[in-house]
């Protein structure tokens, strides 16, 4: 527990510093976190496997089934394979796109007079940031399918399906934290919104834990997480809403935000807590499906990057959309 608390505190301080700094340093941190998450998920979901037995998975019901492992032949595990390399490259390109559009909105991008400048200007005028990211993800899927077809039967459909899911689940959703921070030109409002993601997810987690420990009686999802309770889940929603309200009141007191943001932040806290707990349970379900305890061991006392980002990565897109719609 001591190791967990110390490493958790260091992690919070590190993330807070990078959120305040913002810009490319924060983007680099989120990109590294995304790359590590892709690696951990690929390892957990057995995307690393370079040799597949034709009879390893007979139908869709076997995908992710722990018992299906008994039907598999011995497989060689690589550090990564070609589809994974494409995933890593796509992750880097995703952050390059976000950084480019963030610089464009802030008026910091210079097109220049050469062919490359014209090309960049054409991209910005013909595709919005959302369209460009969507085009990148679609291209990634098409490339993965092309590799699957050309190299068949080297990779299984299970690997292809898992990798497409991983790309959307980890780097795309994590990138929303960076988009929130830099979309408004890397100003104080972007910083506030990025902190809102962390406060919502962490506040929900802590509130749910302490409420569950002291008041928890009814199991929430005993097969996925035996220690989680319904009382804890409710406490997480109330706690996140309360912490976000306090955050908004403090900002209003210093005339940073208008009073109307108090109820907006409270609502974001409540909705975000529900989503955060779903994300936490979903990550637990993935681990149980593949019979692993943690996604990795990069963070002492916590496990892998995905063990800490499992709730934050699902909260970020929701907060991004709620802020866009409500403000």
């Amino acid at each position: 527990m001591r190791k967990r608390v110390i490493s958790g505190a260091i992690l919070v301080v590190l993330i807070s510093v990078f959120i305040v700094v913002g810009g490319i340093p924060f983007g680099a941190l989120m990109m590294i976190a995304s790359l590590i998450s892709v690696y951990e998920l690929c390892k957990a979901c057995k995307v690393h496997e370079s040799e597949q037995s034709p009879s390893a998975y007979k139908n869709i019901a076997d995908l992710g089934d722990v018992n299906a492992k008994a039907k598999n032949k011995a497989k060689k595990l690589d550090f990564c394979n070609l589809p994974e390399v494409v995933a890593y490259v796509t992750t880097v390109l995703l952050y390059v796109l976000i950084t480019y559009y963030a610089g464009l909105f802030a008026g910091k991008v210079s097109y220049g007079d050469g062919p490359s400048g014209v090309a960049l200007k054409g991209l910005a005028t013909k595709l919005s940031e959302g369209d460009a990211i969507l085009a990148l993800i679609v291209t990634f899927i098409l490339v993965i399918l092309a590799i699957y077809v050309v190299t068949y039967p080297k990779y299984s459909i299970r690997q292809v399906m898992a990798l497409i899911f991983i790309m959307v689940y980890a780097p795309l959703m994590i990138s929303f934290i960076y988009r929130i921070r830099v979309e408004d030109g890397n100003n104080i409002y972007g910083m506030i919104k990025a902190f809102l993601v962390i406060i919502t997810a962490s506040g929900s987690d802590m509130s749910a834990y302490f409420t569950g420990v002291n008041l928890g009686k009814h199991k929430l999802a005993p097969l996925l997480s035996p220690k989680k309770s319904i009382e804890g889940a409710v406490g997480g929603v109330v706690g996140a809403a309360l912490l976000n309200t306090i955050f908004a009141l403090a900002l209003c007191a210093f005339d940073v935000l208008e009073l109307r943001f108090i109820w907006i932040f409270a609502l974001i806290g409540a909705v975000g807590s529900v989503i955060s707990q779903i994300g936490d349970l979903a990550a637990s379900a993935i681990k149980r499906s593949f019979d692993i305890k943690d996604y990795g061991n990069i963070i002492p006392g916590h496990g892998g990057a995905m063990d800490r980002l499992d709730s934050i990565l699902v909260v970020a897109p929701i907060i991004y959309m709620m802020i866009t719609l409500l403000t």
Side-chain angles (χ1 to χ4, degrees), residues 9-315:
I10 294 174
L11 193 62
V12 169
V13 172
L14 178 66
I15 293 175
S16 297
V17 169
F18 274 89
I19 287 177
V20 172
V21 173
I24 291 178
F26 183 59
L29 179 67
M30 292 294 98
M31 184 182 71
I32 292 170
S34 296
L35 290 169
I36 294 173
S37 297
V38 170
Y39 172 78
E40 291 177 348
L41 284 165
C42 284
K43 185 177 179 181
C45 298
K46 306 297 185 291
V47 178
H48 280 323
E49 296 170 3
S50 59
E51 298 175 5
Q52 294 292 324
S53 167
S55 61
Y57 293 89
K58 296 184 181 300
N59 54 60
I60 195 69
D62 284 338
L63 300 185
D65 184 3
V66 175
N67 295 324
K69 294 194 299 183
K71 298 180 285 185
N72 294 344
K73 294 181 180 179
K75 299 179 180 66
K76 177 183 176 182
L77 300 183
D78 290 336
F79 177 75
C80 69
N81 52 37
L82 181 57
E84 284 181 82
V85 172
V86 175
Y88 295 135
V89 171
T90 304
T91 298
V92 173
L93 290 176
L94 172 64
Y95 282 88
V96 169
L97 270 179
I98 296 172
T99 301
Y100 166 71
Y101 277 94
L104 175 67
F105 296 147
K108 296 179 181 179
V109 173
S110 177
Y111 295 122
D113 298 324
S116 60
V118 174
L120 284 175
K121 186 174 182 179
L123 172 66
T125 55
K126 293 182 178 180
L127 288 178
S128 66
E129 181 186 11
D131 289 338
I133 292 173
L134 180 60
L136 178 65
I137 298 301
V138 171
T139 302
F140 164 76
I141 294 173
L142 292 175
V143 171
I144 292 299
L145 290 176
I147 293 173
Y148 172 60
V149 170
V150 172
T151 63
Y152 187 85
K154 182 175 182 179
Y155 303 107
S156 73
I157 188 61
R158 177 181 66 85
Q159 289 174 290
V160 173
M161 293 168 63
L163 198 54
I164 292 173
F165 164 75
I166 288 168
M167 191 64 204
V168 175
Y169 179 53
L172 180 61
M173 298 184 81
I174 292 173
S175 72
F176 275 91
I177 308 174
Y178 181 45
R179 290 185 69 186
I180 286 172
R181 177 65 182 94
V182 301
E183 190 173 57
D184 292 328
N186 202 40
N187 57 29
I188 189 172
Y189 297 106
M191 181 174 66
I192 290 170
K193 290 186 285 187
F195 272 117
L196 189 61
V197 174
I198 307 302
I199 293 172
T200 299
S202 300
S204 172
D205 187 38
M206 289 188 297
S207 300
Y209 173 78
F210 287 111
T211 304
V213 167
N214 293 286
L215 303 175
K217 293 182 179 179
H218 302 88
K219 300 296 182 183
L220 178 65
L223 294 179
L224 293 178
S225 188
K227 294 183 180 180
K228 294 188 185 297
S229 65
I230 296 176
E231 292 81 3
V234 174
V237 173
V238 174
L242 181 59
L243 285 172
N244 280 10
T245 300
I246 294 172
F247 184 44
L249 285 170
L251 293 171
C252 290
F254 288 95
D255 293 326
V256 178
L257 295 179
E258 301 172 5
L259 290 175
R260 65 188 181 91
F261 281 92
I262 296 174
W263 74 265
I264 293 175
F265 276 35
L267 179 62
I268 287 174
V271 174
S273 175
V274 174
I275 302 301
S276 172
Q277 294 181 58
I278 291 174
D280 187 29
L281 290 171
S284 296
I286 294 172
K287 288 189 286 187
R288 287 190 177 275
S289 294
F290 289 98
D291 196 26
I292 60 174
K293 183 179 183 295
D294 294 315
Y295 284 107
N297 54 9
I298 193 173
I299 307 174
H302 291 269
M306 273 301 301
D307 292 294
R308 296 310 306 154
L309 292 170
D310 53 6
S311 57
I312 295 176
L313 65 84
V314 294
V315 169

